[in-house]
Protein backbone atom coordinates (compact mmCIF):
# COMPACT_ATOMS: atom_id res chain seq x y z
CA UNK A 1 0.00 0.00 0.00
CA UNK A 2 2.85 2.38 0.74
CA UNK A 3 4.27 1.76 -2.73
CA UNK A 4 0.89 2.57 -4.29
CA UNK A 5 0.57 5.74 -2.23
CA UNK A 6 4.04 6.76 -3.38
CA UNK A 7 3.00 6.25 -7.00
CA UNK A 8 -0.24 8.20 -6.54
CA UNK A 9 1.49 11.15 -4.95
CA UNK A 10 4.40 11.17 -7.37
CA UNK A 11 3.38 12.93 -10.57
CA UNK A 12 5.85 11.14 -12.80
CA UNK A 13 5.40 7.65 -11.33
CA UNK A 14 1.63 7.99 -11.59
CA UNK A 15 1.84 9.14 -15.20
CA UNK A 16 4.32 6.36 -16.03
CA UNK A 17 2.03 3.69 -14.56
CA UNK A 18 -1.02 5.07 -16.38
CA UNK A 19 0.88 5.19 -19.67
CA UNK A 20 2.28 1.68 -19.22
CA UNK A 21 -1.12 0.17 -18.45
CA UNK A 22 -2.78 2.00 -21.35
CA UNK A 23 -0.06 0.86 -23.74
CA UNK A 24 -0.40 -2.70 -22.46
CA UNK A 25 -4.18 -2.65 -22.77
CA UNK A 26 -4.04 -1.51 -26.40
CA UNK A 27 -0.87 -3.26 -27.53
CA UNK A 28 -3.01 -5.88 -29.27
CA UNK A 29 -4.12 -3.40 -31.93
CA UNK A 30 -0.76 -1.94 -32.91
CA UNK A 31 -0.26 -4.46 -35.73
CA UNK A 32 -3.81 -4.08 -37.04
CA UNK A 33 -4.25 -3.02 -40.68
CA UNK A 34 -6.28 -0.08 -41.89
CA UNK A 35 -9.97 -0.89 -41.66
CA UNK A 36 -13.12 -0.28 -43.61
CA UNK A 37 -14.35 2.57 -45.73
CA UNK A 38 -13.36 5.39 -43.36
CA UNK A 39 -9.66 4.52 -43.41
CA UNK A 40 -9.78 3.95 -47.15
CA UNK A 41 -11.32 7.34 -47.92
CA UNK A 42 -9.45 9.47 -45.38
CA UNK A 43 -6.02 7.80 -45.52
CA UNK A 44 -5.27 5.04 -48.02
CA UNK A 45 -6.92 6.63 -51.05
CA UNK A 46 -6.72 10.25 -49.94
CA UNK A 47 -4.35 12.28 -52.15
CA UNK A 48 -4.69 15.34 -49.90
CA UNK A 49 -2.51 13.84 -47.15
CA UNK A 50 0.37 12.98 -49.49
CA UNK A 51 2.15 16.29 -49.38
CA UNK A 52 2.30 19.35 -47.15
CA UNK A 53 1.56 21.50 -50.17
CA UNK A 54 -2.00 20.14 -49.89
CA UNK A 55 -2.53 21.71 -46.45
CA UNK A 56 -4.60 24.63 -47.86
CA UNK A 57 -6.86 22.08 -49.55
CA UNK A 58 -7.20 20.13 -46.31
CA UNK A 59 -8.52 23.28 -44.62
CA UNK A 60 -10.93 24.11 -47.46
CA UNK A 61 -12.48 20.69 -48.13
CA UNK A 62 -14.62 18.23 -46.20
CA UNK A 63 -13.26 15.25 -44.31
CA UNK A 64 -14.92 12.55 -46.45
CA UNK A 65 -15.07 14.61 -49.62
CA UNK A 66 -18.87 14.75 -49.51
CA UNK A 67 -19.36 18.12 -47.75
CA UNK A 68 -20.70 16.41 -44.62
CA UNK A 69 -17.85 16.81 -42.11
CA UNK A 70 -15.09 19.36 -41.53
CA UNK A 71 -12.16 17.89 -39.59
CA UNK A 72 -8.98 19.42 -41.02
CA UNK A 73 -6.78 18.80 -37.96
CA UNK A 74 -7.46 15.08 -38.22
CA UNK A 75 -6.45 15.09 -41.89
CA UNK A 76 -3.39 17.17 -41.00
CA UNK A 77 -2.33 14.53 -38.45
CA UNK A 78 -2.63 11.89 -41.18
CA UNK A 79 -0.55 14.06 -43.52
CA UNK A 80 2.23 14.29 -40.93
CA UNK A 81 2.16 10.53 -40.42
CA UNK A 82 2.18 9.87 -44.16
CA UNK A 83 5.18 12.18 -44.57
CA UNK A 84 7.24 10.21 -42.05
CA UNK A 85 5.81 6.67 -42.25
CA UNK A 86 3.95 6.34 -45.53
CA UNK A 87 1.02 3.93 -45.28
CA UNK A 88 2.40 1.81 -42.43
CA UNK A 89 -0.64 1.36 -40.15
CA UNK A 90 1.50 0.54 -37.09
CA UNK A 91 2.45 4.18 -36.58
CA UNK A 92 -1.10 5.44 -37.11
CA UNK A 93 -2.29 2.96 -34.46
CA UNK A 94 0.57 3.87 -32.14
CA UNK A 95 -0.25 7.56 -32.42
CA UNK A 96 -3.85 6.82 -31.44
CA UNK A 97 -2.61 5.13 -28.27
CA UNK A 98 -0.24 8.03 -27.51
CA UNK A 99 -3.05 10.58 -27.92
CA UNK A 100 -5.23 8.45 -25.66
CA UNK A 101 -2.51 8.45 -23.01
CA UNK A 102 -2.27 12.24 -23.19
CA UNK A 103 -6.04 12.36 -22.80
CA UNK A 104 -5.69 10.34 -19.61
CA UNK A 105 -3.13 12.87 -18.35
CA UNK A 106 -5.59 15.65 -19.23
CA UNK A 107 -8.27 13.85 -17.22
CA UNK A 108 -5.89 13.75 -14.26
CA UNK A 109 -5.22 17.50 -14.54
CA UNK A 110 -8.93 18.29 -14.83
CA UNK A 111 -10.11 16.08 -11.96
CA UNK A 112 -7.28 17.21 -9.72
CA UNK A 113 -8.22 20.84 -10.37
CA UNK A 114 -11.90 20.16 -9.65
CA UNK A 115 -11.50 18.15 -6.44
CA UNK A 116 -8.01 19.12 -5.25
CA UNK A 117 -7.36 15.44 -4.58
CA UNK A 118 -4.52 13.56 -6.29
CA UNK A 119 -5.89 10.13 -5.33
CA UNK A 120 -9.25 10.78 -7.00
CA UNK A 121 -7.49 12.26 -10.01
CA UNK A 122 -5.13 9.29 -10.32
CA UNK A 123 -7.86 6.65 -10.20
CA UNK A 124 -10.08 8.63 -12.56
CA UNK A 125 -7.28 8.96 -15.13
CA UNK A 126 -6.29 5.31 -14.75
CA UNK A 127 -9.88 4.16 -15.23
CA UNK A 128 -10.17 6.42 -18.26
CA UNK A 129 -6.97 4.96 -19.71
CA UNK A 130 -7.93 1.27 -19.48
CA UNK A 131 -11.74 1.26 -19.56
CA UNK A 132 -13.04 -0.83 -22.51
CA UNK A 133 -15.54 1.87 -23.46
CA UNK A 134 -12.59 3.66 -25.09
CA UNK A 135 -11.84 0.73 -27.37
CA UNK A 136 -13.65 1.91 -30.51
CA UNK A 137 -11.96 5.31 -30.53
CA UNK A 138 -8.46 4.06 -29.72
CA UNK A 139 -8.34 0.81 -31.68
CA UNK A 140 -9.53 2.29 -34.97
CA UNK A 141 -7.42 4.85 -36.80
CA UNK A 142 -10.63 6.62 -37.81
CA UNK A 143 -11.29 7.18 -34.12
CA UNK A 144 -8.57 9.84 -34.25
CA UNK A 145 -11.27 12.52 -34.56
CA UNK A 146 -12.73 11.47 -31.20
CA UNK A 147 -9.34 11.34 -29.51
CA UNK A 148 -8.14 14.75 -30.72
CA UNK A 149 -11.51 16.32 -30.00
CA UNK A 150 -11.44 14.92 -26.45
CA UNK A 151 -7.92 16.22 -25.86
CA UNK A 152 -8.71 19.80 -26.83
CA UNK A 153 -12.08 19.77 -25.02
CA UNK A 154 -10.42 18.58 -21.80
CA UNK A 155 -7.74 21.27 -22.11
CA UNK A 156 -10.37 23.93 -22.85
CA UNK A 157 -12.40 22.95 -19.78
CA UNK A 158 -9.31 22.88 -17.55
CA UNK A 159 -8.23 26.34 -18.70
CA UNK A 160 -11.73 27.73 -18.28
CA UNK A 161 -11.76 26.52 -14.68
CA UNK A 162 -8.41 28.23 -14.15
CA UNK A 163 -9.90 31.43 -15.55
CA UNK A 164 -12.89 31.21 -13.20
CA UNK A 165 -10.67 30.58 -10.21
CA UNK A 166 -7.86 33.02 -10.89
CA UNK A 167 -9.28 35.47 -13.42
CA UNK A 168 -6.36 35.12 -15.81
CA UNK A 169 -7.28 36.35 -19.27
CA UNK A 170 -4.52 34.17 -20.75
CA UNK A 171 -6.30 31.08 -19.44
CA UNK A 172 -9.55 32.22 -21.06
CA UNK A 173 -7.74 32.85 -24.35
CA UNK A 174 -6.19 29.39 -24.15
CA UNK A 175 -9.60 27.87 -23.46
CA UNK A 176 -11.11 29.58 -26.51
CA UNK A 177 -8.19 28.46 -28.67
CA UNK A 178 -8.52 24.86 -27.45
CA UNK A 179 -12.27 24.98 -28.11
CA UNK A 180 -11.60 26.16 -31.67
CA UNK A 181 -9.05 23.37 -32.22
CA UNK A 182 -11.53 20.82 -30.84
CA UNK A 183 -14.10 22.05 -33.37
CA UNK A 184 -11.57 21.49 -36.15
CA UNK A 185 -11.33 17.85 -35.06
CA UNK A 186 -14.98 16.86 -34.53
CA UNK A 187 -18.33 18.55 -34.49
CA UNK A 188 -19.24 17.20 -31.04
CA UNK A 189 -17.05 19.95 -29.54
CA UNK A 190 -20.24 22.01 -29.79
CA UNK A 191 -21.38 20.53 -26.47
CA UNK A 192 -18.54 22.25 -24.58
CA UNK A 193 -20.48 25.49 -23.86
CA UNK A 194 -23.16 23.32 -22.22
CA UNK A 195 -20.51 21.62 -20.09
CA UNK A 196 -19.10 25.00 -19.07
CA UNK A 197 -22.59 26.21 -18.13
CA UNK A 198 -23.11 23.11 -15.99
CA UNK A 199 -19.77 23.73 -14.29
CA UNK A 200 -20.79 27.31 -13.47
CA UNK A 201 -24.23 26.18 -12.28
CA UNK A 202 -23.08 23.40 -9.98
CA UNK A 203 -19.37 23.43 -9.12
CA UNK A 204 -19.01 27.18 -8.84
CA UNK A 205 -22.24 27.45 -6.86
CA UNK A 206 -21.03 24.85 -4.37
CA UNK A 207 -17.73 26.69 -3.93
CA UNK A 208 -19.61 29.95 -3.38
CA UNK A 209 -21.67 28.35 -0.64
CA UNK A 210 -18.55 27.12 1.07
Amino acid sequence: MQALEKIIHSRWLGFALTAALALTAYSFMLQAPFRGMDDSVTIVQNPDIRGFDNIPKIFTSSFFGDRSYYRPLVSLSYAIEYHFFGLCPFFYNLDNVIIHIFNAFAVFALVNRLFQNRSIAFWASLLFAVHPVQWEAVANVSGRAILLNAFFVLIALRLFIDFCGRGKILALAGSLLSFTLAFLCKESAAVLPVVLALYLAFFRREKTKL
Side-chain angles (χ1 to χ4, degrees):
M1 289 298 293
Q2 287 184 343
L4 182 58
E5 285 295 317
K6 183 179 179 180
I7 291 173
I8 291 174
H9 292 284
S10 169
R11 176 180 300 178
W12 302 114
L13 288 177
F15 285 172
L17 177 61
T18 300
L21 290 178
L23 187 59
T24 301
Y26 289 100
S27 60
F28 71 93
M29 47 75 67
L30 293 177
Q31 299 296 335
F34 292 116
R35 301 181 180 89
M37 184 178 68
D38 286 1
D39 290 353
S40 177
V41 172
T42 61
I43 302 172
V44 179
Q45 298 177 12
N46 184 4
D48 293 346
I49 70 167
R50 304 198 176 192
F52 290 150
D53 54 334
N54 292 324
I55 290 177
K57 187 177 179 182
I58 286 175
F59 279 86
T60 55
S61 58
S62 64
F63 188 58
F64 290 113
D66 58 0
R67 301 180 182 275
S68 57
Y69 296 98
Y70 183 66
R71 302 171 180 176
L73 287 190
V74 181
S75 296
L76 181 60
S77 74
Y78 294 154
I80 294 171
E81 288 164 325
Y82 183 85
H83 176 78
F84 288 104
F85 310 116
L87 289 175
C88 179
F90 173 85
F91 294 101
Y92 294 75
N93 289 321
L94 178 62
D95 287 344
N96 267 23
V97 178
I98 291 172
I99 296 169
H100 178 60
I101 290 171
F102 276 101
N103 283 346
F105 295 165
V107 167
F108 177 92
L110 175 61
V111 175
N112 191 46
R113 182 70 175 84
L114 283 171
F115 297 102
Q116 301 294 311
N117 188 307
R118 292 186 64 86
S119 293
I120 294 176
F122 171 78
W123 291 113
S125 64
L126 188 62
L127 180 63
F128 178 91
V130 301
H131 198 286
V133 75
Q134 312 288 357
W135 176 87
E136 185 174 359
V138 181
N140 294 282
V141 177
S142 57
R144 177 76 54 82
I146 299 172
L147 298 174
L148 288 176
N149 173 70
F151 177 76
F152 289 118
V153 165
L154 289 167
I155 296 300
L157 180 53
R158 174 67 163 79
L159 290 173
F160 181 79
I161 293 171
D162 281 348
F163 167 72
C164 291
R166 299 168 185 171
K168 292 185 177 180
I169 298 299
L170 189 60
L172 179 60
S175 180
L176 290 172
L177 175 60
S178 295
F179 175 54
T180 301
L181 294 175
F183 234 125
L184 295 178
C185 297
K186 200 170 191 295
E187 305 74 24
S188 57
V191 304
L192 180 59
V194 177
V195 175
L196 299 182
L198 291 173
Y199 166 76
L200 293 174
F202 294 100
F203 278 89
R204 291 291 293 176
R205 180 183 298 175
E206 290 301 318
K207 287 187 178 182
T208 302
K209 288 180 180 179
L210 293 175

